[in-house]
Amino acid sequence: MKPKPSHFPEHVTFYDLMGIEAARRASGTGGGWRLYVFAKALDKTGLGSVVRDDLRAFILSLGVNPRTCERWIAEARNAGLVTDWQKQSGEWMLALVSAGRAGYALQCVNGIGRKVEMAARDLVRPGWRARVFSAWESGKQISREQIQKAVNVSVSTQRYRDSQAGTKRQRNYSKSAITADNLTGIQENTNHKGTFATRDGFVAWRLPDTRTTAQAVKLGRGRARKANKIIRQLATVQLQSGLSKMRQAFSAEVEKPNDFIRLFNSTPDERKATERKLSRTDSPIREIYERAREAKSGSVIWKHCPLR
């Protein structure tokens, strides 16, 4: 029996960095990736296959044009995200690759990211790229320059997508124990932006904004660690087989694990844990921050914690 539209999932989950890669206009996989996401949502038993006609019905129920749906299926096939197979009964199925193989197919050099949940219709409505980007940056305290370095999305595109997705920003400031007579020296010898003297005579500066969205919910990491391991293994195999320079560069990037350091700590315990972690490394980080309070304006004030 074919599932009725009312039985189709209202929400879908996906890995945010995988979505970022697929959402690039030059990727040619935006439709194929979304079909893969919808197929994963339909595969409630986790067997790795869905009935092809059921998947079509699900996507069409979201308002997608039939010709667009067929194009998405072709994109997913070409990208290696799905494979057609037929049951003995004659029913056609689509086999779905694992998250790791999907990440490798989409060239997720920095891993597949974290799982997020979003309304299924939000992945087909205009502005879906902006919502995927907003889902990734939600909850992060990070500058636009660092975002560009992390996911290769230009600053102008970030602003456009934040506006399109209705992303909210909360300002953050650091108040230090440095007296105001050192303001000029701080301005000339550090990279702190927007430095100023507070009314009570100390130096403060602007920190990266915190961005949030109501259109997506952050979930756990799921099987991201296992998937990222698969990506590294596949990249190594391709490198050893002597394929293209692009694959070699990709492999080299994937094999560099990023050791996470929490610069902005919400509690004293988090700050102490970060200090212990940094004490065991040769990290160039010389200062971290601890959340102090929220100002009447809605901005968050962070305590500056220089490291010895």
Side-chain angles (χ1 to χ4, degrees):
M1 180 180 294
K2 305 294 183 185
K4 298 178 181 179
S6 60
H7 293 167
F8 290 140
E10 294 185 3
H11 292 81
V12 295
T13 62
F14 58 88
Y15 289 96
D16 51 14
L17 277 177
M18 195 187 298
I20 291 285
E21 293 302 324
R24 299 188 194 282
R25 294 189 181 278
S27 75
T29 56
W33 169 74
R34 283 181 285 171
L35 179 129
Y36 174 77
V37 169
F38 295 137
K40 281 288 191 180
L42 206 58
D43 180 27
K44 295 181 180 179
T45 59
L47 295 178
S49 286
V50 296
V51 179
R52 195 167 65 187
D53 286 344
D54 289 352
L55 180 58
R56 280 198 186 98
F58 178 24
I59 294 174
L60 295 180
S61 75
L62 298 172
V64 176
N65 183 284
R67 299 176 92 179
T68 300
C69 181
E70 293 305 314
R71 176 168 55 81
W72 288 4
I73 293 176
E75 279 186 15
R77 286 192 191 109
N78 293 337
L81 300 176
V82 301
T83 305
D84 300 83
W85 65 280
Q86 192 174 24
K87 286 185 173 180
Q88 289 184 346
S89 62
E91 189 173 47
W92 279 98
M93 309 289 291
L94 286 177
L96 316 175
V97 300
S98 68
R101 290 187 175 275
Y104 182 72
L106 296 172
Q107 300 191 18
C108 297
V109 176
N110 295 315
I112 63 174
R114 184 172 175 174
K115 258 193 176 182
V116 297
E117 182 181 77
M118 181 180 292
R121 289 188 180 276
D122 282 346
L123 270 186
V124 300
R125 294 192 298 112
W128 70 272
R129 288 183 173 86
R131 285 186 282 277
V132 168
F133 176 73
S134 185
W136 172 79
E137 68 172 354
S138 184
K140 288 182 172 62
Q141 188 174 339
I142 184 171
S143 68
R144 294 203 183 278
E145 291 76 13
Q146 287 300 317
I147 290 176
Q148 183 168 346
K149 291 179 182 178
V151 294
N152 194 26
V153 175
S154 70
V155 171
S156 59
T157 299
Q158 291 174 42
R159 291 196 178 99
Y160 173 76
R161 289 185 175 175
D162 280 351
S163 175
Q164 195 175 24
T167 304
K168 295 183 178 180
R169 294 186 299 161
Q170 185 177 43
R171 293 186 175 187
N172 295 289
Y173 294 91
S174 170
K175 182 178 180 180
S176 72
I178 303 169
T179 56
D181 55 343
N182 293 293
L183 177 60
T184 301
I186 295 295
Q187 292 173 332
E188 294 177 350
N189 300 305
T190 72
N191 294 322
H192 297 311
K193 296 183 178 180
T195 53
F196 61 95
T198 62
R199 292 179 180 178
D200 55 353
F202 294 94
V203 176
W205 51 83
R206 183 78 179 270
L207 293 173
D209 294 339
T210 301
R211 296 167 175 80
T212 56
T213 180
Q215 298 186 32
V217 177
K218 293 278 189 182
L219 303 177
R221 295 191 178 277
R223 298 181 178 179
R225 181 174 296 179
K226 180 180 179 180
N228 292 337
K229 182 178 180 181
I230 291 174
I231 293 174
R232 290 193 294 271
Q233 290 172 341
L234 290 172
T236 300
V237 170
Q238 292 284 29
L239 176 62
Q240 291 174 345
S241 65
L243 294 183
S244 69
K245 291 183 179 179
M246 181 273 290
R247 293 295 187 192
Q248 293 181 23
F250 174 53
S251 300
E253 287 296 323
V254 170
E255 289 184 308
K256 296 176 183 177
N258 293 318
D259 193 18
F260 176 75
I261 299 294
R262 190 187 300 275
L263 296 181
F264 302 99
N265 302 269
S266 298
T267 65
D269 286 343
E270 280 188 1
R271 188 253 307 160
K272 291 175 183 177
T274 300
E275 288 174 340
R276 286 194 297 271
K277 186 173 185 178
L278 285 169
S279 69
R280 298 191 295 266
T281 70
D282 57 354
S283 171
I285 295 173
R286 292 294 176 263
E287 55 191 10
I288 58 177
Y289 300 89
E290 180 185 323
R291 185 184 175 106
R293 60 185 175 84
E294 185 169 325
K296 293 181 180 179
S297 63
S299 300
V300 176
I301 310 302
W302 296 79
K303 177 185 176 183
H304 176 233
C305 304
L307 303 175
R308 296 178 181 176

